[in-house]
Amino acid sequence: MAELEPITPEPLHEKAYASLRHALRTGRFRPGQAMTIRGLGKELGVSATPVREALQRLIACHALKVLPNRTVIVPPLTRERCAEITEVRLRLEGLAGRQAVNRITDQAVKRLVSRKNRMDRAIKDRNLAAYLQNNEEFHSTIYEAAQMPFLNQMIDLAWLQVAPWFNLLAVEGNFYENANASHALVIDRLVARDADGVEAAIRQDINQAVRHIIEFLDSGVKVAGVNVAA
């Protein structure tokens, strides 16, 4: 009889990394926000060591930054950096959308509709946290359907760096008027198996959000709790 491999719990540093990664991708941390190992460990319910290892991984991929005094912060965003990340996202996420067209399941499409409906409710309630949570899951569902793991890794790196800046959308009233229009179009084009249409809708969605962020970067407007680096 073959021996079974022992079941071992996931290492704590992996759990800490997954939790912090998800928090960054869904806008839980603000740009410029400082964090401490002790504070994060207390919130996550783990010791300092797994938190330190998780932070080192996020620092290595430039999702976080260490200041000369050893404080760890979410990096500020400049207009140039935003433009570069956006150009990368347009190409990578557009490609993922195209690849998902003939691979996405009916069940995944139903999840997209559910997330889109939840975003509608979040917009109505002016609940940006709920909007960002469902927005991240909406996009992840599409990109995972592309079945291209390396492409998803690249997309994840971009999201880790830019997602904290989605917090700026909370103070941009015009954003809420059409925040979900592109998502409805993405679903429509996926159902129609229209690769060009899906790519165009994803690019429209990205450009729409970034346009509002760029307005703040250009204006130098001070937003409470947000470090705007023009």
Side-chain angles (χ1 to χ4, degrees):
M1 181 176 178
E3 293 185 3
L4 297 177
E5 292 185 2
I7 297 175
T8 58
E10 185 180 15
L12 286 178
H13 67 86
E14 288 290 347
K15 293 182 179 180
Y17 173 75
S19 180
L20 292 174
R21 171 183 167 277
H22 181 69
L24 284 165
R25 282 182 58 104
T26 55
R28 289 272 309 279
F29 294 114
R30 301 184 308 276
Q33 180 175 343
M35 55 193 71
T36 65
I37 292 175
R38 178 178 295 180
L40 291 174
K42 182 177 181 180
E43 186 173 351
L44 294 172
V46 297
S47 65
T49 299
V51 174
R52 185 179 296 107
E53 292 181 15
L55 289 178
Q56 288 173 346
R57 291 175 63 180
L58 291 166
I59 291 167
C61 64
H62 305 289
L64 297 175
K65 179 180 180 180
V66 181
L67 298 180
N69 63 2
R70 306 303 297 171
T71 299
V72 178
I73 67 167
V74 178
L77 187 68
T78 64
R79 194 185 195 287
E80 292 74 19
R81 185 162 173 261
C82 183
E84 180 183 359
I85 295 173
T86 300
E87 182 63 27
V88 171
R89 290 186 62 208
L90 289 171
R91 294 174 184 272
L92 297 185
E93 294 178 45
L95 173 60
R98 295 185 70 89
Q99 295 299 315
V101 166
N102 293 316
R103 299 175 179 177
I104 196 164
T105 64
D106 292 341
Q107 177 125 17
V109 171
K110 289 180 180 178
R111 288 201 300 272
L112 293 177
V113 172
S114 175
R115 295 301 172 189
K116 188 263 180 188
N117 291 338
R118 293 183 187 186
M119 281 186 277
D120 279 333
R121 291 195 294 271
I123 291 169
K124 182 178 180 180
D125 297 337
R126 289 294 197 269
N127 185 343
L128 186 70
Y131 177 87
L132 294 180
Q133 171 76 31
N134 286 284
N135 177 66
E136 192 271 346
E137 293 177 4
F138 181 93
H139 284 270
S140 291
T141 298
I142 297 170
Y143 305 153
E144 288 170 5
Q147 299 176 30
M148 299 181 70
F150 182 69
L151 176 60
N152 263 290
Q153 289 177 25
M154 298 301 99
I155 291 173
D156 181 60
L157 287 174
W159 270 67
L160 284 173
Q161 296 188 47
V162 77
W165 280 86
F166 293 162
N167 284 282
L168 286 176
L169 302 177
V171 292
E172 173 50 65
N174 294 331
F175 169 75
Y176 286 103
E177 295 177 4
N178 52 11
N180 227 11
S182 297
H183 295 142
L185 184 57
V186 169
I187 295 172
D188 178 73
R189 293 299 83 201
L190 279 169
V191 172
R193 305 299 181 183
D194 176 7
D196 290 340
V198 170
E199 180 178 10
I202 289 175
R203 291 173 67 94
Q204 175 182 309
D205 182 48
I206 294 171
N207 280 322
Q208 175 184 298
V210 171
R211 183 169 63 250
H212 293 291
I213 293 173
I214 288 291
E215 288 177 1
F216 280 97
L217 293 175
D218 286 344
S219 67
V221 173
K222 295 292 185 181
V223 182
V226 175
N227 178 14
V228 177

